[in-house]
Amino acid sequence: MSPPTTTLPSGDELPLVGIGTWNIDGDTVRESVRAGLDAGYGHIDTAEGYRNEREIGDVLSEYDRDDIFLTSKVLPKNLDYESVIAACEASLERLGTEYLDLYLVHWPNPAISLRETLDAMATLHDEGMVRNIGVSNFDAYQLSCARHIADVPIAVNQVEYHPWNTQDALLEYCRGTETVIEAAAPFGRTEVFADETVQDIAAAYDRSPAQIVLKWAVENEIVVLPKSTSPEHVRSNLDLFDWTLDEDDRDRLDAIDHHQPVYDLPTRDWTDDTYGIAE
């Protein structure tokens, strides 16, 4: 069953469930993406920083490109104007495609002008290399600034979102500005599977903890990007749309927020290969 979609400002339809590919490479990512496309996902999320675009491109060549919503992201070290253009061109070459459905700023970089970054994104959009633009890991303050200066609508903000870290204030701002929230790490890197509430509800519905967490998110109108190295789990993560959670169970899941991120932490190594900021 193909997942339902949400409509972006451009009119493009973004499937509510995508294939997450962070930290998967080689034949493993090929098998995961192929299993997802065969199961009906139609939505792949990658990034230049994931270092798996070429493998994903191998799989894309086996399918009708127009049936797939494809996202990639530009690293924060590449956010000056010319580097954004070059990074996108390199991603397109590795992926074997002429366009991206969505191109995201992977992380904000305070050392590079956001206006310069978004001007480059607008150029990519105008030249047809990118159909929609967005950001990732932006807080409400950063997103407000981006929306103020962007010539092309900021369609998406991809952030850490799961039952232990719901970011309610950011979610409220995004909904008020019609910015789609995508959930990176929707399982909290699997940590939320151990939560007693998640386990109790999974047992009651005869579903996996992963399915419960994903169902809760999509019923909250969040686009989810689960990743798995198991084709069986990839398929089961899409089995969400012929059943519903009771309101009481949704409320129970809403109540377990620990305000506890698993990756979007305040510490950064500014000199690493992600940011590349010299002292």
Side-chain angles (χ1 to χ4, degrees):
M1 178 184 294
S2 297
T5 63
T6 187
T7 305
L8 300 180
S10 64
D12 290 347
E13 298 295 322
L14 171 63
L16 291 180
V17 184
I19 306 167
T21 63
W22 172 78
N23 204 30
I24 316 176
D25 57 17
D27 286 340
T28 304
V29 76
R30 291 187 185 96
E31 293 172 3
S32 177
V33 170
R34 190 176 287 112
L37 293 177
D38 288 346
Y41 274 74
H43 176 189
I44 303 169
D45 181 86
T46 185
E48 65 168 328
Y50 295 173
R51 296 184 174 89
N52 59 16
E53 289 175 319
R54 199 168 298 282
E55 291 93 333
I56 291 172
D58 293 342
V59 178
L60 280 173
S61 67
E62 304 168 9
Y63 296 83
D64 186 340
R65 171 68 182 89
D66 291 339
D67 292 339
I68 299 167
F69 192 101
L70 179 62
T71 299
S72 192
K73 313 177 192 74
V74 54
L75 282 168
K77 69 178 181 180
N78 291 330
L79 295 185
D80 64 275
Y81 184 92
E82 291 183 356
S83 295
V84 171
I85 303 297
C88 183
E89 290 174 343
S91 286
L92 292 174
E93 188 277 327
R94 288 188 292 267
L95 288 162
T97 184
E98 295 181 353
Y99 69 94
L100 293 169
D101 296 280
L102 179 62
Y103 198 40
L104 304 180
V105 177
H106 203 156
W107 290 89
N109 184 340
I112 299 176
S113 164
L114 181 59
R115 189 183 299 276
E116 184 174 353
T117 303
L118 293 175
D119 283 349
M121 294 288 238
T123 296
L124 293 170
H125 176 268
D126 293 345
E127 293 184 358
M129 288 186 280
V130 169
R131 295 189 172 178
N132 301 275
I133 71 167
V135 297
S136 184
N137 303 302
F138 274 46
D139 61 25
Y141 175 83
Q142 293 161 333
L143 178 58
S144 174
C145 180
R147 287 177 48 80
H148 176 67
I149 63 177
D151 292 328
V152 178
I154 304 295
V156 166
N157 188 15
Q158 185 180 127
V159 298
E160 181 177 341
Y161 178 93
H162 48 77
W164 283 1
N165 191 39
T166 58
Q167 304 203 64
D168 292 342
L170 176 60
L171 184 61
E172 181 179 358
Y173 176 77
C174 288
R175 285 177 170 163
T177 56
E178 298 184 346
T179 307
V180 173
I181 283 279
E182 289 187 335
F187 303 141
R189 302 270 166 91
T190 73
E191 291 186 22
V192 300
F193 292 168
D195 190 281
E196 289 186 6
T197 298
V198 172
Q199 291 189 350
D200 288 348
I201 294 174
Y205 285 77
D206 194 23
R207 297 281 177 173
S208 69
Q211 288 172 318
I212 295 300
V213 169
L214 294 174
K215 184 65 173 179
W216 164 82
V218 297
E219 288 192 352
N220 284 335
E221 300 178 335
I222 305 295
V223 176
V224 292
L225 303 168
K227 75 149 192 172
S228 177
T229 59
S230 161
E232 179 182 356
H233 290 164
V234 170
R235 289 187 287 268
S236 69
N237 287 342
L238 192 63
D239 184 13
L240 304 173
F241 300 106
D242 59 355
W243 56 283
T244 59
L245 289 171
D246 291 340
E247 184 175 354
D248 288 346
D249 292 322
R250 287 198 302 272
D251 290 344
R252 290 174 65 196
L253 291 165
D254 289 340
I256 64 175
D257 186 6
H258 298 180
H259 309 289
Q260 180 178 328
V262 297
Y263 80 82
D264 190 7
L265 305 171
T267 56
R268 297 281 187 272
D269 180 357
W270 296 105
T271 62
D272 70 5
D273 194 48
T274 297
Y275 288 91
I277 302 175
E279 293 182 2

